[in-house]
Amino acid sequence: MPQITVDYSERLADAFDRKGFALALHPLLVDLADATPTACKTRFVRTEETVVGEGAGDDGVVHVMIGLLPGRSDETKAQVTTAALDLVRQYVKAADGLTLHASAEIRDLDASYRKAVQT
């Protein structure tokens, strides 16, 4: 925990500094959500096709989903998602004509969540 999944449009593949984003997000989760640095895991999923509205624009989409163990307040969750969106804007390079649609959410991990680390 935290389990972080970032879906992003293929259009953003060269514009999104994904590693930089993850390395900035992890300490934020340590500070705001009481996570430990080594527990933060982020995976990125490139989405081949995204359509926004009527599909007429040059749009890029980023959605950040953060899974946390239950117990964080709604205020803490809102602080984390707001900060995550700020980071998305910092780590996606602006491109002419690009409209960036970014969203973030936190979900409580189910009681069945387990983790295994093997070295």
Side-chain angles (χ1 to χ4, degrees):
M1 181 296 294
Q3 296 289 332
I4 305 143
T5 304
V6 181
D7 295 313
Y8 66 97
S9 302
E10 185 171 330
R11 163 75 173 84
L12 300 175
D14 293 331
F16 188 10
D17 176 4
R18 295 176 296 280
K19 186 172 184 178
F21 172 80
L23 292 175
L25 181 63
H26 294 177
L28 182 142
L29 290 167
V30 169
D31 291 341
L32 295 178
D34 198 29
T36 60
T38 56
C40 296
K41 294 165 287 305
T42 300
R43 66 186 180 97
F44 294 90
V45 180
R46 181 168 37 185
T47 305
E48 276 187 43
E49 189 169 346
T50 55
V51 178
V52 176
E54 296 176 356
D58 188 13
D59 300 302
V61 177
V62 175
H63 179 68
V64 181
M65 185 168 45
I66 302 168
L68 296 173
L69 292 173
R72 275 53 176 211
S73 69
D74 288 342
E75 180 182 330
T76 296
K77 291 176 183 180
Q79 288 176 330
V80 170
T81 54
T82 298
L85 289 176
D86 289 342
L87 288 176
V88 168
R89 287 189 287 271
Q90 289 176 31
Y91 286 91
V92 175
K93 293 181 218 162
D96 288 338
L98 173 71
T99 300
L100 176 62
H101 299 266
S103 56
E105 68 176 307
I106 293 183
R107 65 179 180 83
D108 288 339
L109 294 171
D110 189 78
S112 65
Y113 174 78
R114 299 294 184 271
K115 174 177 116 171
V117 178
Q118 182 176 345
T119 57

